[in-house]
Structure formats: C-alpha cells, structure tokens
Amino acid sequence: MSLPHAILTALLEKPSSGLELTRRFDRSIGYFWPSTHQQIYRELGKLEKAGHIRVLPAAQPARGQRKEYEVLPAGREELMAWVSLAEDPRPVRDPLLLRMRAAAVVGSAGLAGELRRHLALHRAQLAEYLEIEERDFPPERTSDEDRLRRLVLRGGIDLETFWTGWLTRAIDDLDGPGS
Amino acid sequence: MSLPHAILTALLEKPSSGLELTRRFDRSIGYFWPSTHQQIYRELGKLEKAGHIRVLPAAQPARGQRKEYEVLPAGREELMAWVSLAEDPRPVRDPLLLRMRAAAVVGSAGLAGELRRHLALHRAQLAEYLEIEERDFPPERTSDEDRLRRLVLRGGIDLETFWTGWLTRAIDDLDGPGS
DNA sequence: CGTCATTGTGCAACTTGTTGCATAAGGGCT
DNA sequence: AGCCCTTATGCAACAAGTTGCACAATGACG
C-alpha cells in the first residue's frame, strides 16, 4: 500500500499531472519507490475514485489532454495516518545474496564478474546521492522538513555504502584465498 | 525469477518435500528470499513440469501424502547458468524511507515511535545473525562452500548493521534538536 | 469406534508490479 | 494538406507474491 502514499506525498509538494509525477519520481521519491507511468495513472484513478485527490478545474479532460491533480483533505489525513502506522519492515529479498548461496552449491563460476558489476553500479548510485547531498543540503539549514528529507537521503547513502563495502570485501575474499 | 532457483538450491543441498522445504526456508534461504508453502508448492509443480526436478520414487503420490523431490541434471545446469547471469540489483523499495519523506510534508507525528520499533526489530535480527555466525562459522574453516555461505551471512549482518546505525542516528536527530 | 489435532498438499482469488501497446492532441516540416 | 515527433493518458495481459481456505492421511485420545 505504498505507491498511493508516495503519490499523495508528491502531489502535496506540488500538484501535477500524471506524466509530471512520473518524471519527478525518477529523480526523488523514485529512488526508494520506483514506479512507471502506467502504474501511476492507474493509481491516480483509484485515488480519485476514493476521494483522496481531484482533478484541478481549468483544463478540460480529454484523452491526451493533461490533467492536473491536487490532494483533498481526506487524502492528507490518509497520509498522516499512514506515517504513524505500525508497519513492519519488508522482508529482505535479494537475488544476489541468493545467487551467492547457490554458488556455494553449484560452484562460483562467473559470480565474481557479477559482483564487480554490481559494485560499479552501487558506487555510481552512491556518487549520485552524494552529489545531491552537496547540492541540496548544504550544512546548517535545518528546518524540520529539510532535516527529514536529509535523513532519507542519508538512508540512501548509508545503504549504498553498505553495498559497496560488502561487495568489496566479498570480491577480495573470493579472489584472494582462491587464486 | 528467483524463487525457483532458491528452491533448486535448497533441493540440491538436500532432497525434500514441500513442507520440509518451507521449514528450511524459514531458517536459512528465507532470510533473504522468504516464501510461503503455497508459493513453494506452486513452484515445485512448475519445476517438475519443466523437467528440472522430479519426485523421488518409493513414496507413491496421493493427496496429503508427502512427495520428496530431487534435482535433475537440467535443473542443476539451469542454476549454474543463473549464478553467472547479468542481473541488475532490484530497485530499492522501502516504505519506511517513504514514510519519512511523507512526514516532511504532513508532519512527523507518530514517526519516532515507528523508528524505535523498527530499530528493535533490526537489532533482534542482527542478534540472530550473529548467533548463527558464531554457531555455524567458527573461525578458520574455509572450504569454498563455507566461505560463500559465510559471505552471504555477512551480507545479512552488514545490512542489519546499516539499519540499526541509520535508525539510531535518525532517532537522535529527530529527538535532539526538536525537543 | 468416532473425532480431533497435526502434518501435508494444493486451489482460487486478490494485490502489486511489469511489459507492451493503443490512442489522442499539438507542433514542426515539406 | 500529409507526415512525423513529442507529450500525454491509459488499457490489457502477464508475473509474482499474499491470503484464505479446502481436502486428505495419520495418529492420539476418550
């Protein structure tokens, strides 16, 4: 049940059309809840039917005609409730760890290459996050909203740091004693 | 496409019935690819039809009668291919980060409690992993298989360490300057 | 003997996310 | 006018995971 809330959050920050939302997802909320335009349109429809958002007047709706949505009070309340909800962390589900486990059974041929490839990807993501931090969060601007947004970004940074660290050690461990 | 491979891995370690698999998942592979018995039965059916596994003879199959499966050569080859496959990391999808982001917009009431609750859960998971490490991986037993399995476990440990660290800092940051 | 809990297998419906494609308006180019 | 590219909305089919329940065999208990 996260996508509708992600959309509500984005719409509260700024009323938008479906495609605009999709684009903003790509460079902010999408970092930890990616979504395609198809899914977003589908969800916008549901949210509208539920009375959580509505189409801004001014633009008449026709197919291929942009529709701007804004959040209604009911939507905001729904979102507030969701923030304080008790919801357990999702179970980890990681194919790379699984493949490493499989490699313990059928041999690790080809695995090291994958580890290096993933390491490069995670390093790139980490660099991207660090750039955003530098650009959008210069030291000492601490409104409540900024503190929270910065914490979220820190989460991303720390997560990628974990991956790069673990992958580096894993590659060393596989290469080292083996060859 | 990970669940079938998880099952192949588990069956290679030891031929099992559906329920046995489910139980072993709960305490090993399931740590990073959880699955229910329903899903496992469904997937066993598909794997059998694909010729990757087969029912061990000896026990005749009837509803409510246990069926032991074992991996066929084709299944092993499938698994080996999968290990070296190029497969990108799954996109991160984390509701807690999303909720924190939402809190930046609608206020962080109730969020701190959730952070503390998650911290406790991650600490518990970390403790469980550390216990397994101590029990199953005493220092200096380095067959290739053990090295790989230990790396996987290390992944889990490092991941939970990331969470506990980040959550601790986040709670401090929210509590501290705010009150 | 009946029935009741446990073990084991499995179907069906639903939700969420993915992939591929269809449709429509508008602007620029020839 | 005719064509094509971009912007924009959206449907449909599929894949994967979740939830709830049904059915069958078996052994324990009264």
Side-chain angles (χ1 to χ4, degrees), chain A residues 139-159:
Chain A
E140 301 315 320
R141 241 192 342 136
T142 42
S143 69
D144 268 16
E145 303 83 57
D146 274 349
R147 256 215 329 281
L148 284 164
R149 272 192 266 262
R150 172 175 218 148
L151 273 175
V152 173
L153 182 58
R154 259 291 134 196
I157 291 171
D158 290 357
L159 185 56

Side-chain angles (χ1 to χ4, degrees), chain B residues 55-73:
Chain B
V55 179
L56 274 176
Q60 64 278 47
R63 197 180 166 100
Q65 210 70 352
R66 60 184 290 119
K67 284 198 277 182
E68 286 243 312
Y69 289 93
E70 72 170 352
V71 179
L72 294 171

Side-chain angles (χ1 to χ4, degrees), chain B residues 18-19 23 37-38 41-42 63 66-67:
Chain B
L19 199 59
R23 289 194 179 126
H37 67 104
Q38 289 93 333
Y41 283 121
R42 191 204 267 160
R63 197 180 166 100
R66 60 184 290 119
K67 284 198 277 182

